[in-house]
Amino acid sequence: MNKKIKKRFIFYFSALFLVFSFFSCSENSENRLEEFFIASSAASQKKSFSYQSYEQFCHSLIRLQNCFPEIVLIESIGKSVEGRDIFAVIISDFPSQDLEDEPGIRITSGIHGNEKIAPAFMLLFMEYLVSSYATDSEVKKIIDENYIAFIPIINPDGYVKDIRYNSNNKDLHRDFNDYVANCSIFSQPESCFLRDYKPGRFVCGISYHSGDYVISFPLGYTESSKYRSEHYELFLSVAKDYAIAGTEGTRFCDGICSVSKATDFTITGGDWYAVTGELSDWSYLEYGCIDITVEISKEKEPESNQSIQHAFELNKAGLLDFLQNAKNIDLLKIKKGAAVNRVTSSGA
């Protein structure tokens, strides 16, 4: 049975189930905030809610899979220093089958444990995506034509302890390749598991953080006035498309960016502040993956439901646009490792 016939059969067979799931397992994202940010009886008056615990977050992922098993699959890519699972949520029309003709997209967050708004946004977005599958033709097309891996909490121990670092006091976002010293780092299990999870499978990706409203992209270890990647213009275009997607009031660029060097909310990582060992540099320079970093909130962990909902509203259209554009990026067939030797002087 070829893929098109199989898709049609599965769709008709499961349409009623998915519609039922939409009504029985999902309310709109605004009403769902109460589930994502639970009230704490022990909380002080200054903090009337808390983010989901790691266990509750995992339960939400399981609930997502149980409600939409035809298009959602959860798998552990490995364990943290303290033995907590690092989960990936596959969303695709055949999530248990990695069809190589579909673009692979990796969306991550929670690499810094004290940036909880990023996993919270991802959870809201995943629920929106799967609950819209049976009713929204554009969302259905995104899911049917792509293999999307969401990894919402890369650093479970840091998430539990509400700290930036992992349990070995290491910043995981500095634990990938060092392109200044020209060496591989990967000193921590969390970064190693991410490295080993379907290497080379993803054509594009996003790493979500908090701390500002800005979109950065490779190269992160050097200023663009000195060096630029061969695909600088492509990165810039992808970042700008994310920033302006949507209508007024629901666009990323409706936030307030305090990065003075940024243009239209976009900047190379090295122009913002140069560091080595970043995920996006490694992903691009080793595998040709068009990987950007999106900072979705000025505050690391805003303490109001309205702030969380606002972050969702300002990023939903941008992420949808990014997912829709994956097919075009895939057509470029950027070769694995080819970009390493193509980093050229910006003046050349």
Side-chain angles (χ1 to χ4, degrees), residues 183-250:
C183 66
S184 176
I185 305 175
F186 292 103
S187 66
Q188 302 302 305
E190 296 92 345
S191 52
C192 289
F193 286 126
L194 187 63
R195 174 195 63 192
D196 298 337
Y197 181 64
K198 305 182 187 297
R201 177 63 181 90
F202 304 107
V203 301
C204 59
I206 297 178
S207 178
Y208 280 102
H209 292 253
S210 58
D212 214 306
Y213 285 103
V214 69
I215 304 170
S216 62
F217 53 89
L219 301 171
Y221 67 88
T222 185
E223 297 176 359
S224 64
S225 60
K226 298 177 181 178
Y227 295 97
R228 290 183 181 181
S229 72
E230 180 194 9
H231 299 96
Y232 171 84
E233 295 297 333
L234 173 60
F235 273 115
L236 185 61
S237 175
V238 168
K240 286 186 175 181
D241 285 347
Y242 187 109
I244 65 174
T247 57
E248 186 174 355
T250 65

Side-chain angles (χ1 to χ4, degrees), residues 267-282:
I267 191 170
T268 66
D271 284 346
W272 188 7
Y273 58 93
V275 298
T276 60
E278 279 194 334
L279 189 163
S280 56
D281 274 4
W282 162 78

Side-chain angles (χ1 to χ4, degrees), residues 247-320:
T247 57
E248 186 174 355
T250 65
R251 302 172 301 186
F252 183 83
C253 62
D254 291 322
I256 300 175
C257 176
S258 62
V259 181
S260 60
K261 294 181 180 179
T263 302
D264 298 326
F265 288 75
T266 66
I267 191 170
T268 66
D271 284 346
W272 188 7
Y273 58 93
V275 298
T276 60
E278 279 194 334
L279 189 163
S280 56
D281 274 4
W282 162 78
S283 183
Y284 169 63
L285 293 173
E286 295 302 313
Y287 294 107
C289 179
I290 299 302
D291 215 313
I292 65 175
T293 300
V294 181
E295 306 268 348
I296 64 172
S297 169
K298 182 64 178 175
E299 297 177 77
K300 294 284 187 182
E301 295 180 358
E303 298 182 358
S304 74
N305 290 347
Q306 292 78 12
S307 295
I308 309 299
Q309 182 65 25
H310 186 59
F312 175 74
E313 290 170 352
L314 293 190
N315 285 274
K316 184 179 76 171
L319 181 48
L320 285 173

Side-chain angles (χ1 to χ4, degrees), residues 75 77 88-92 98-100 102-108 146-151 193-206 235 279-280 282-291 322-323 326 329-330 333-337:
E75 56 187 19
I77 72 171
V89 181
I90 308 302
I91 297 180
S92 186
D98 188 354
L99 304 174
E100 292 295 329
E102 293 182 339
I105 308 167
R106 182 184 59 219
I107 311 294
T108 68
N146 296 286
Y147 183 83
I148 313 169
F150 292 91
I151 308 176
F193 286 126
L194 187 63
R195 174 195 63 192
D196 298 337
Y197 181 64
K198 305 182 187 297
R201 177 63 181 90
F202 304 107
V203 301
C204 59
I206 297 178
F235 273 115
L279 189 163
S280 56
W282 162 78
S283 183
Y284 169 63
L285 293 173
E286 295 302 313
Y287 294 107
C289 179
I290 299 302
D291 215 313
F322 184 86
L323 296 175
I329 296 174
D330 186 43
K333 301 300 178 187
I334 299 173
K335 294 181 180 180
K336 176 181 177 180

Side-chain angles (χ1 to χ4, degrees), residues 10-73:
I10 292 294
F11 175 71
Y12 288 130
F13 180 79
S14 61
L16 287 176
F17 169 79
L18 287 170
V19 172
F20 173 77
S21 297
F22 173 73
F23 289 107
S24 63
C25 293
S26 175
E27 302 83 28
N28 67 64
S29 60
E30 186 172 4
N31 292 338
R32 290 277 286 151
L33 283 171
E34 183 177 353
E35 236 178 86
F36 296 145
F37 312 104
I38 60 168
S40 172
S41 59
S44 68
Q45 292 182 352
K46 292 183 178 179
K47 188 172 184 179
S48 60
F49 78 94
S50 63
Y51 287 88
Q52 282 188 315
S53 69
Y54 168 77
E55 290 76 14
Q56 290 161 338
F57 196 100
C58 293
H59 178 75
S60 292
L61 299 183
I62 293 170
R63 182 180 184 274
L64 205 64
Q65 179 180 252
N66 290 342
C67 286
F68 304 94
E70 298 293 335
I71 54 175
V72 178
L73 176 68

